[in-house]
Amino acid sequence: MGLKVCKFGGTSMADGQVMKKVKKIITSDKDRRFVVVSAPGKRYSGDIKVTDLLYKCYDEVANGLSCKEAFAKIRARFEGIVKELNLDFDIASILDETEERINKEKSADFTASRGEYLSAIIMSQLLGAKFIDCENVVFFNEHGVLDSNKTYKAINEALKGAELAVFPGFYGQDVNGKVKTFSRGGSDITGAIVAGAVNASLYENWTDVSGFLACDPRIVDNPKKIKSLSYKELRELSYMGANVLHSESIFPVRRANIPIKIKNTFRPEDEGTTILPIARYSPNGSIVTGIAGKKNFTVIFIEKSLMNSEIGFIRKVLSVLERFNIAVEHIPSGIDTMSVVVESSAVEGYKLDQILECIKFEVEPDIIRVTENVALVATVGHGMSSSVGTSARLFKVLADANINVKMIDQGSSELNIIVGVKNEECEKCISAIYHEFFS
Ligand code: ADP
Ligand code: ASP
Ligand code: MG
């Protein structure tokens, strides 16, 4: 088929036994040549991910202490894995150097990145593959955004002559030469970057579920698996909380039309889910492809008579948010009303009051009101644009479930309908929509 890039997530790296499964998967297909790994994740419910332990290390360093105690747990975890795998290399000195550098660099990003760094070294030893440190091949520009030209060149340079290579996910180097991470779950992005750089025929993302499910399996028992979906649907669903794949991981592969396949490390024979550009995606006949939700938004509602004829009204409101450097998620609007939806964490504390004052000053609204603790639930699917009555069904089922809809936003692409509900009704809302369209 051609070159494949495989990314293995946290549960796939959790201990020596699973890493052996990973090795089996990689060596069973000679096209699987370039591997990206996450830090070891949870081995059982209640366990702590290595990345979370590393953030604890950083807390100690930031408080002027040495991270010796918190690092001891990480040391034990990695030493245990090396022992389980019977590998003959000096992990102790690598751990010593790592601990020393964490204490010296005093950087949250550097500290957090060490889980991927260490697990990639171990995986490369297990596979007899080249270890390529993303500190030297993944570059961010001055805005903190990936510098793809520089990155792709460096990756291809580092891969020259390598039959098999392992990259740590999650981090790269910023313009000051310091280690910088992506947001949480960012190893998916690294996998996509490597796939884009080598123009892979497929980006395989190996995780602990047998594909992308129609909704979060922690909310609905055994939801239907999605056989295939488009990049656009994936982007909508992952951005709205379906965190099986990081929402930014589609950009590097989309540029080169590389399909993504979600596979289960624990059930490699299962078919998984394929994610394709829209032109190659064949609708599976269902109206809705999937449902996802995300909590903790704040909605600023503004009403003013004749808002529509007041040229520049929306711009003035948005310019206030821009001045405060706040990203706007949605702007549902009516004739005399508009709402601005932002993440609550972005407007915490006094910031929200200041923003409201500035909006009042700029546009003199008749009413300005804030609703906090709002969850957004997105119902996504290309099938929705061609079928009549989808929104009627959706709102009826929410009314029947006694869920109060606080906001509605139908994307202009007709690919999604987003509703705002109370945080505590998020799961109930997802479950009601799921059962309406899938049962
Ligand atoms: P990894 O460590 O492999 O990157 P993640 O924990 O990031 O794995 O993602 C896999 C998890 O995503 C699953 O275990 C599942 O609980 C969760 N998840 C949430 N929404 C969905 C969905 N729609 N389909 C599949 N998994 C989902
Ligand atoms: N280890 C990082 C995290 O826990 C990145 C990843 O797993 O993708 O967020
Ligand atoms: Mg993940």
Coordinates of all heavy atoms in Angstrom, one line a residue, residues 294-302 321 326-332 338-349 351-353 355-356 359 368-376 406-407 420-423:
K294 N -19.1 19.7 24.9 CA -18.0 20.3 25.6 C -18.6 21.3 26.6 O -19.5 22.1 26.3 CB -17.1 21.1 24.6 CG -15.7 21.2 24.9 CD -15.0 21.7 23.7 CE -13.8 22.5 23.9 NZ -13.2 23.0 22.7
K295 N -18.1 21.3 27.8 CA -18.7 22.1 28.9 C -17.9 23.4 29.1 O -16.8 23.6 28.6 CB -18.6 21.3 30.2 CG -19.6 20.1 30.2 CD -19.6 19.4 31.6 CE -20.5 18.2 31.5 NZ -20.4 17.4 32.7
N296 N -18.5 24.2 30.0 CA -17.9 25.5 30.5 C -17.7 26.6 29.5 O -16.6 27.0 29.2 CB -16.5 25.1 31.2 CG -16.7 24.2 32.4 OD1 -17.8 24.4 33.1 ND2 -15.9 23.3 32.6
F297 N -18.8 27.0 28.9 CA -18.8 28.2 28.1 C -19.6 29.3 28.8 O -20.4 29.0 29.6 CB -19.4 27.9 26.7 CG -18.5 27.0 25.9 CD1 -18.7 25.6 25.9 CD2 -17.5 27.5 25.1 CE1 -17.9 24.8 25.1 CE2 -16.7 26.7 24.3 CZ -16.9 25.4 24.3
T298 N -19.3 30.5 28.3 CA -20.0 31.7 28.8 C -20.7 32.4 27.6 O -20.0 32.5 26.6 CB -19.0 32.7 29.5 OG1 -18.5 32.0 30.7 CG2 -19.7 33.9 30.0
V299 N -22.0 32.7 27.7 CA -22.7 33.3 26.6 C -23.0 34.8 27.0 O -23.6 35.0 28.1 CB -24.0 32.6 26.3 CG1 -24.7 33.2 25.1 CG2 -23.7 31.1 26.0
I300 N -22.5 35.7 26.2 CA -22.9 37.1 26.4 C -24.0 37.5 25.4 O -23.8 37.4 24.2 CB -21.7 38.0 26.2 CG1 -20.5 37.6 27.1 CG2 -22.0 39.5 26.5 CD1 -19.2 38.3 26.8
F301 N -25.2 37.8 26.0 CA -26.3 38.0 25.1 C -26.5 39.6 25.0 O -26.5 40.3 26.1 CB -27.6 37.4 25.7 CG -28.8 37.8 25.1 CD1 -29.3 37.1 23.9 CD2 -29.6 38.8 25.6 CE1 -30.5 37.5 23.3 CE2 -30.8 39.2 25.0 CZ -31.2 38.5 23.8
I302 N -26.7 40.1 23.8 CA -26.8 41.5 23.7 C -28.1 41.8 22.8 O -28.3 41.2 21.8 CB -25.6 42.1 22.9 CG1 -24.3 41.8 23.7 CG2 -25.7 43.6 22.7 CD1 -23.1 41.9 22.9
L321 N -13.6 42.0 22.4 CA -13.1 40.7 22.7 C -11.7 40.6 22.2 O -10.8 40.0 22.8 CB -14.0 39.6 22.2 CG -15.3 39.6 23.1 CD1 -16.5 39.4 22.3 CD2 -15.1 38.7 24.2
I326 N -9.4 37.5 23.4 CA -10.3 36.3 23.7 C -10.8 35.7 22.4 O -11.3 36.4 21.5 CB -11.4 36.8 24.6 CG1 -10.8 37.0 26.0 CG2 -12.5 35.7 24.7 CD1 -11.6 37.7 26.9
A327 N -10.7 34.4 22.3 CA -11.2 33.7 21.1 C -12.7 33.6 21.2 O -13.2 33.2 22.3 CB -10.5 32.4 21.0
V328 N -13.4 33.9 20.1 CA -14.8 33.8 20.1 C -15.2 32.4 19.4 O -14.7 32.1 18.4 CB -15.4 34.9 19.3 CG1 -16.9 34.8 19.1 CG2 -15.1 36.3 20.0
E329 N -16.0 31.6 20.1 CA -16.4 30.3 19.6 C -17.6 30.4 18.6 O -17.5 29.8 17.6 CB -16.8 29.4 20.8 CG -15.7 29.3 21.8 CD -14.6 28.4 21.4 OE1 -14.8 27.4 20.6 OE2 -13.4 28.7 21.8
H330 N -18.6 31.1 19.0 CA -19.8 31.2 18.1 C -20.4 32.6 18.3 O -20.3 33.2 19.3 CB -20.8 30.2 18.5 CG -20.4 28.8 18.4 ND1 -20.4 28.1 17.2 CD2 -19.8 27.9 19.3 CE1 -19.9 26.9 17.3 NE2 -19.5 26.8 18.6
I331 N -21.1 33.0 17.2 CA -21.9 34.3 17.3 C -23.3 34.1 16.7 O -23.6 34.6 15.6 CB -21.1 35.4 16.5 CG1 -19.6 35.3 16.7 CG2 -21.6 36.8 16.9 CD1 -18.9 36.1 15.6
P332 N -24.1 33.4 17.4 CA -25.5 33.3 16.9 C -26.2 34.6 17.0 O -25.9 35.4 17.9 CB -26.2 32.3 17.9 CG -25.2 31.9 18.9 CD -24.0 32.8 18.7
M338 N -27.8 39.6 19.4 CA -26.6 38.7 19.1 C -26.1 38.1 20.4 O -26.3 38.7 21.5 CB -25.5 39.5 18.4 CG -24.8 40.5 19.2 SD -23.4 41.3 18.3 CE -22.2 40.1 18.3
S339 N -25.5 36.9 20.3 CA -24.8 36.4 21.5 C -23.4 36.1 21.1 O -23.1 35.8 19.9 CB -25.4 35.1 21.9 OG -26.8 35.3 22.3
V340 N -22.5 36.2 22.0 CA -21.1 35.8 21.8 C -20.8 34.7 22.8 O -21.0 34.8 24.0 CB -20.2 37.0 22.1 CG1 -18.7 36.7 21.8 CG2 -20.6 38.2 21.2
V341 N -20.3 33.6 22.2 CA -20.0 32.5 23.1 C -18.5 32.3 23.2 O -17.7 32.3 22.2 CB -20.5 31.1 22.5 CG1 -20.3 30.0 23.4 CG2 -22.0 31.3 22.2
V342 N -18.0 32.3 24.5 CA -16.5 32.2 24.7 C -16.3 31.1 25.8 O -17.2 30.8 26.5 CB -15.9 33.5 25.2 CG1 -16.1 34.6 24.1 CG2 -16.6 34.0 26.5
E343 N -15.1 30.6 25.8 CA -14.8 29.7 26.8 C -14.7 30.4 28.2 O -14.1 31.4 28.3 CB -13.4 29.0 26.6 CG -13.5 27.8 25.7 CD -12.2 27.0 25.5 OE1 -11.3 27.2 26.3 OE2 -12.1 26.3 24.5
S344 N -15.3 29.8 29.2 CA -15.4 30.5 30.5 C -14.0 30.8 31.1 O -13.8 31.8 31.7 CB -16.2 29.6 31.5 OG -17.5 29.4 31.0
S345 N -13.1 29.8 30.9 CA -11.8 30.0 31.4 C -11.1 31.3 30.9 O -10.2 31.9 31.5 CB -10.9 28.8 31.2 OG -10.8 28.6 29.8
A346 N -11.5 31.7 29.7 CA -10.9 32.9 29.0 C -11.3 34.2 29.7 O -10.7 35.2 29.5 CB -11.2 32.9 27.5
V347 N -12.5 34.2 30.4 CA -13.0 35.4 30.9 C -13.2 35.4 32.4 O -14.1 36.1 33.0 CB -14.4 35.8 30.2 CG1 -14.2 36.1 28.7 CG2 -15.4 34.6 30.4
E348 N -12.3 34.6 33.0 CA -12.5 34.4 34.5 C -12.3 35.7 35.2 O -11.6 36.6 34.8 CB -11.4 33.4 34.9 CG -12.0 32.0 35.2 CD -10.9 31.0 35.3 OE1 -9.7 31.3 35.3 OE2 -11.3 29.8 35.3
G349 N -12.9 35.7 36.4 CA -12.7 36.8 37.4 C -13.1 38.2 36.9 O -14.2 38.3 36.2
K351 N -12.1 40.0 34.5 CA -12.1 40.2 33.1 C -13.5 40.3 32.5 O -13.7 41.2 31.6 CB -11.3 39.0 32.4 CG -10.3 39.4 31.4 CD -9.6 38.2 30.9 CE -8.5 38.6 30.0 NZ -7.8 37.4 29.4
L352 N -14.4 39.4 32.9 CA -15.7 39.5 32.3 C -16.4 40.8 32.6 O -17.0 41.4 31.7 CB -16.6 38.3 32.9 CG -18.0 38.2 32.4 CD1 -18.0 37.9 30.9 CD2 -18.7 37.0 33.1
D353 N -16.3 41.3 33.8 CA -16.9 42.6 34.1 C -16.3 43.7 33.3 O -17.0 44.6 32.8 CB -16.7 43.0 35.6 CG -17.4 42.0 36.5 OD1 -18.5 41.5 36.1 OD2 -17.0 41.8 37.6
I355 N -15.0 43.4 30.3 CA -15.5 43.2 28.9 C -16.9 43.8 28.8 O -17.2 44.5 27.9 CB -15.5 41.7 28.5 CG1 -14.0 41.3 28.4 CG2 -16.2 41.4 27.3 CD1 -13.9 39.8 28.4
L356 N -17.8 43.5 29.8 CA -19.2 44.0 29.7 C -19.2 45.5 29.7 O -19.9 46.1 29.0 CB -20.0 43.4 30.9 CG -20.1 41.9 30.9 CD1 -20.9 41.4 32.1 CD2 -20.8 41.3 29.6
I359 N -18.2 46.7 26.3 CA -19.3 46.5 25.3 C -20.3 47.6 25.5 O -20.8 48.2 24.5 CB -19.8 45.1 25.3 CG1 -18.8 44.1 25.0 CG2 -21.1 45.0 24.4 CD1 -19.2 42.6 25.0
I368 N -27.9 43.7 28.2 CA -26.7 42.8 28.1 C -26.8 41.8 29.2 O -27.0 42.3 30.4 CB -25.4 43.6 28.0 CG1 -24.2 42.7 27.8 CG2 -25.2 44.5 29.2 CD1 -23.0 43.4 27.3
R369 N -26.7 40.5 28.9 CA -26.9 39.5 30.0 C -25.9 38.4 29.8 O -25.5 38.1 28.6 CB -28.3 39.0 29.8 CG -28.9 38.2 30.9 CD -30.4 37.9 30.7 NE -30.6 37.1 29.5 CZ -31.5 37.3 28.6 NH1 -32.4 38.3 28.8 NH2 -31.7 36.6 27.5
V370 N -25.5 37.8 30.9 CA -24.5 36.8 30.8 C -25.1 35.4 31.3 O -25.7 35.4 32.4 CB -23.3 37.1 31.6 CG1 -22.3 36.0 31.7 CG2 -22.6 38.3 31.0
T371 N -24.9 34.4 30.6 CA -25.2 33.0 31.1 C -23.9 32.2 31.2 O -23.2 32.1 30.2 CB -26.2 32.3 30.1 OG1 -27.2 33.2 29.8 CG2 -26.7 31.1 30.8
E372 N -23.6 31.7 32.4 CA -22.4 30.9 32.6 C -22.8 29.5 32.7 O -23.9 29.1 32.7 CB -21.7 31.4 33.8 CG -21.2 32.9 33.6 CD -20.4 33.4 34.8 OE1 -21.0 33.7 35.8 OE2 -19.1 33.5 34.6
N373 N -21.7 28.6 32.8 CA -21.9 27.2 32.9 C -22.7 26.6 31.8 O -23.6 25.8 32.0 CB -22.5 26.8 34.3 CG -21.7 27.4 35.4 OD1 -20.5 27.3 35.4 ND2 -22.3 28.0 36.4
V374 N -22.4 27.0 30.6 CA -23.1 26.4 29.4 C -22.3 25.4 28.7 O -21.1 25.5 28.6 CB -23.4 27.6 28.4 CG1 -24.0 27.0 27.1 CG2 -24.4 28.6 29.0
A375 N -23.0 24.3 28.4 CA -22.3 23.2 27.6 C -22.8 23.3 26.2 O -23.9 23.7 25.9 CB -22.6 21.9 28.1
L376 N -21.9 23.1 25.2 CA -22.3 23.1 23.8 C -22.3 21.7 23.3 O -21.4 20.9 23.5 CB -21.3 23.9 23.0 CG -21.2 25.4 23.3 CD1 -20.2 26.1 22.3 CD2 -22.5 26.1 23.2
K406 N -30.6 26.8 25.6 CA -30.3 28.2 25.9 C -29.8 28.9 24.7 O -29.8 30.2 24.6 CB -29.3 28.3 27.0 CG -29.7 27.7 28.3 CD -28.8 28.0 29.4 CE -29.4 27.6 30.7 NZ -30.5 28.5 31.1
M407 N -29.3 28.2 23.7 CA -28.8 28.8 22.5 C -28.8 27.8 21.4 O -28.6 26.6 21.6 CB -27.3 29.2 22.9 CG -26.6 30.0 21.8 SD -24.8 29.6 21.9 CE -24.7 28.2 20.8
G420 N -26.8 25.1 23.1 CA -26.2 25.4 24.4 C -27.2 24.9 25.4 O -28.4 25.3 25.4
V421 N -26.7 24.1 26.4 CA -27.6 23.7 27.5 C -26.8 23.9 28.8 O -25.6 24.2 28.8 CB -28.0 22.2 27.3 CG1 -28.8 21.9 26.1 CG2 -26.8 21.3 27.4
K422 N -27.5 23.7 29.9 CA -26.8 23.8 31.2 C -25.7 22.7 31.3 O -25.9 21.6 30.8 CB -27.7 23.5 32.3 CG -28.5 24.7 32.8 CD -29.2 24.3 34.1 CE -30.6 24.8 34.2 NZ -31.5 24.1 35.0
N423 N -24.5 23.1 31.9 CA -23.4 22.1 32.0 C -23.9 20.7 32.5 O -23.6 19.7 31.9 CB -22.4 22.6 33.1 CG -21.3 23.3 32.4 OD1 -21.0 23.3 31.2 ND2 -20.5 24.0 33.3

